[in-house]
């Protein structure tokens, strides 16, 4: 009888890409009635990136993926699956953005598919990759959170268009026998009772594309910001407490808290409620805005490129988004 050696999933590399076009609060104040002062005070955002008209989500995702693959020091041919989390796919319905990215990278005859969990997308990806690897289905999975969210922003709605930005973050999740360098735990959840707080109502099967839907601008993101804010702070805090308790870890054993980058006030409120000092909290919202599914891998990449994390650094991830969805993860960084 053969005994299976336990296999764990390791986040073995990280990469990110942002478009070069910087859009400042000042730039937006020329389009909608807003100001740098309002945006900075209410959100902490100073600028964000918007992709060019000829750049699609898959272009950003492919660039982030190439960096992650190079840093993982693996040959592309060993990648067993490509999964993308996005709410701004290249094409409505099909093909998936993952199929486009896999083709760009020369990965064929391997599974490639998208998931939609809005801003919680990267946590859902981690959960999926961990299951695939620990069940010994695959050994190397490329996961990518990528958004050209500017393509679904209503540039006439000041309450949403100032909040979001474009970007992509990618990671290679690899099989390892070393539990100390693995994704220790992931928890994901959703509550569809709150679906109307944050949605793109138009152009799906509920309200198919029509001249009227477009006239009413229902193809764009709509958000009840204030209600979402309150639920976000409560849910994110509770989620972190639960995952730490479940893993018998204290916040002092965490090297970096990497929350979804939606709003500096949410990040500060959650960080303070949990007792994390500000230098332990990853912060990119001021320069990239809310990049939805890309936000957490972009923030991990920022820590990596600034030399703050090294192999074994313990990260606590926490996300929240449309659905409503949320989730958290604890991992020891497996990269070099
Ligand atoms: N510039 C200037 N004024 C603006 C504005 C802008 N860009 N956007 C909204 N306002 C105005 C509103 O019209 C309102 O004016 P009124 O009082 O005259 O009606 C006022 O500012 C306050 O609006 P409100 O929506 O209550 O502000 P807020 O303090 O809740 O901040 C958000 C708005 C969107 C920044 C905040 O609610 C938020 O971050 N929400 C959560 C976002 C989030 O977590 N998303 C999660 C998942 S992605």
């Amino acid at each position: 009888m053969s005994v299976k050696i336990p296999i764990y999933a390791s986040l073995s590399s990280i990469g990110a890409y942002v478009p070069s076009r910087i859009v400042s609060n000042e730039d937006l104040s020329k389009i909608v009635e807003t100001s740098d002062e309002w945006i900075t005070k209410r959100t902490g955002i100073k600028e964000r990136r918007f992709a060019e008209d000829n750049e699609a989500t898959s272009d950003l995702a492919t660039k982030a993926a190439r960096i992650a693959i190079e840093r993982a020091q693996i040959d592309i041919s060993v990648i067993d699956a490509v999964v993308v989390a996005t709410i701004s796919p290249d094409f409505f319905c099909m093909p998936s953005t993952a199929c486009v990215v896999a083709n760009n990278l020369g990965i064929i005859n391997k599974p490639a598919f998208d998931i939609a969990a809005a801003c919680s997308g990267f946590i859902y990806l981690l959960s999926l990759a961990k299951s695939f690897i620990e069940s010994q289905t695959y050994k190397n999975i490329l996961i990518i959170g990528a958004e050209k969210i500017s393509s679904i922003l209503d540039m006439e709605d000041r309450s949403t268009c100032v909040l979001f930005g474009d970007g992509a973050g990618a990671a290679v999740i690899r099989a390892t026998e070393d539990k100390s360098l693995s994704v220790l735990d992931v928890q994901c959840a959703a509550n569809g009772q709150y679906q109307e707080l944050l949605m793109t109502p138009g152009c799906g099967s509920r309200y198919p594309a029509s001249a009227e839907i477009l006239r009413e601008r229902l193809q764009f993101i709509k958000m009840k910001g204030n209600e979402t804010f309150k639920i976000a702070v409560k849910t994110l805090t509770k989620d972190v407490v639960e995952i730490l308790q479940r893993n018998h870890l204290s916040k002092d054993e965490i090297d970096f808290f990497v929350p979804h980058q939606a709003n500096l006030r949410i990040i500060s409120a959650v960080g303070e409620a949990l007792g994390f000092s500000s230098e332990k909290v990853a912060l990119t919202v001021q320069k990239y805005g809310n990049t939805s599914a890309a936000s957490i891998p972009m923030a991990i990449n920022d820590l990596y490129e600034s030399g703050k994390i090294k192999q074994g650094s313990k990260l606590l991830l926490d996300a929240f988004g449309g659905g409503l969805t949320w989730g958290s993860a604890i991992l020891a960084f497996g990269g070099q």
Side-chain angles (χ1 to χ4, degrees):
M1 192 177 80
S2 71
V3 179
K4 264 192 180 176
I5 299 165
I7 293 294
Y8 304 97
S10 178
L11 191 145
S12 70
S13 71
I14 192 81
Y17 177 79
V18 284
S20 54
R21 181 152 65 113
I22 297 174
V23 178
S24 68
N25 292 345
E26 196 62 43
D27 294 331
L28 291 178
S29 71
K30 292 172 192 146
I31 303 171
V32 285
E33 204 182 321
T34 189
S35 64
D36 175 46
E37 194 199 346
W38 191 96
I39 302 170
T40 306
K41 198 166 150 219
R42 301 285 178 125
T43 71
I45 301 166
K46 297 300 286 183
E47 59 187 41
R48 72 288 290 142
R49 306 294 178 99
F50 279 1
E52 300 299 333
D53 290 346
N54 63 358
E55 270 179 313
T57 295
S58 65
D59 298 319
L60 314 183
T62 303
K63 286 179 175 150
R66 285 194 200 284
I67 296 168
I69 293 165
E70 195 191 315
R71 288 180 181 163
Q73 298 175 5
I74 54 165
D75 192 87
I76 280 186
S77 63
V78 307
I79 292 173
D80 299 308
V82 179
V83 195
V84 172
T86 186
I87 52 164
S88 47
D90 282 26
F91 302 106
F92 179 57
C93 302
M94 60 186 165
S96 70
T97 302
C99 284
V100 180
V101 173
N103 182 57
N104 290 348
L105 295 170
I107 300 170
I108 49 164
N109 297 331
K110 305 281 177 69
F113 58 97
D114 290 357
I115 62 154
C119 302
S120 311
F122 194 74
I123 306 287
Y124 275 61
L125 285 177
L126 269 182
S127 169
L128 201 69
K130 182 171 155 62
S131 304
F132 273 142
I133 285 177
E134 290 180 358
S135 63
Q136 306 195 19
T137 308
Y138 301 127
K139 289 189 174 137
N140 301 289
I141 304 178
L142 175 63
I143 59 171
I144 311 167
E147 304 284 5
K148 183 182 177 180
I149 214 152
S150 57
S151 66
I152 50 168
L153 279 185
D154 184 348
M155 295 310 291
E156 293 182 6
D157 176 8
R158 68 176 182 174
S159 71
T160 52
C161 76
V162 303
L163 304 175
F164 296 90
D166 301 338
V172 177
I173 311 295
R174 304 197 67 189
T176 179
E177 289 176 23
D178 186 350
K179 193 176 181 187
S180 71
L181 293 179
S182 72
V183 179
L184 303 175
D185 196 11
V186 189
Q187 59 181 24
C188 298
N191 186 346
Q193 282 177 353
Y194 295 114
Q195 58 191 277
E196 284 174 11
L197 291 186
L198 184 48
M199 69 189 321
T200 48
C203 300
S205 62
R206 177 69 61 195
Y207 304 110
S210 68
E212 194 191 344
I213 292 294
L214 299 185
R215 204 167 40 248
E216 290 181 18
R217 309 181 74 77
L218 295 181
Q219 72 274 34
F220 296 125
I221 294 180
K222 312 279 174 211
M223 178 166 70
K224 293 183 179 138
N226 210 283
E227 284 166 71
T228 310
F229 187 101
K230 286 177 202 152
I231 300 174
V233 173
K234 234 176 24 202
T235 308
L236 286 168
T237 310
K238 186 167 168 279
D239 207 39
V240 166
V241 169
E242 269 172 24
I243 199 168
L244 284 173
Q245 274 176 358
R246 199 163 79 184
N247 289 277
H248 310 291
L249 285 168
S250 85
K251 67 162 181 35
D252 300 329
E253 292 167 272
I254 298 296
D255 295 306
F256 281 96
F257 176 46
V258 188
H260 170 50
Q261 306 286 313
N263 183 316
L264 180 60
R265 284 157 58 216
I266 298 179
I267 297 169
S268 305
V270 174
E272 276 165 31
L274 295 166
F276 283 108
S277 60
S278 58
E279 55 293 351
K280 272 194 163 190
V281 181
L283 204 60
T284 58
V285 70
Q286 70 287 4
K287 54 182 177 177
Y288 299 137
N290 179 349
T291 56
S292 187
S295 128
I296 286 188
M298 283 171 64
I300 299 174
N301 183 68
D302 221 62
L303 292 173
Y304 177 77
E305 290 189 350
S306 60
K308 289 182 178 163
I309 53 171
K310 53 182 191 315
Q311 195 168 61
S313 294
K314 211 162 261 174
L315 309 182
L316 170 62
L317 319 179
D318 198 17
F320 182 87
L324 293 175
T325 55
W326 61 93
S328 54
I330 298 173
L331 63 93
F333 184 64
Q336 299 285 343

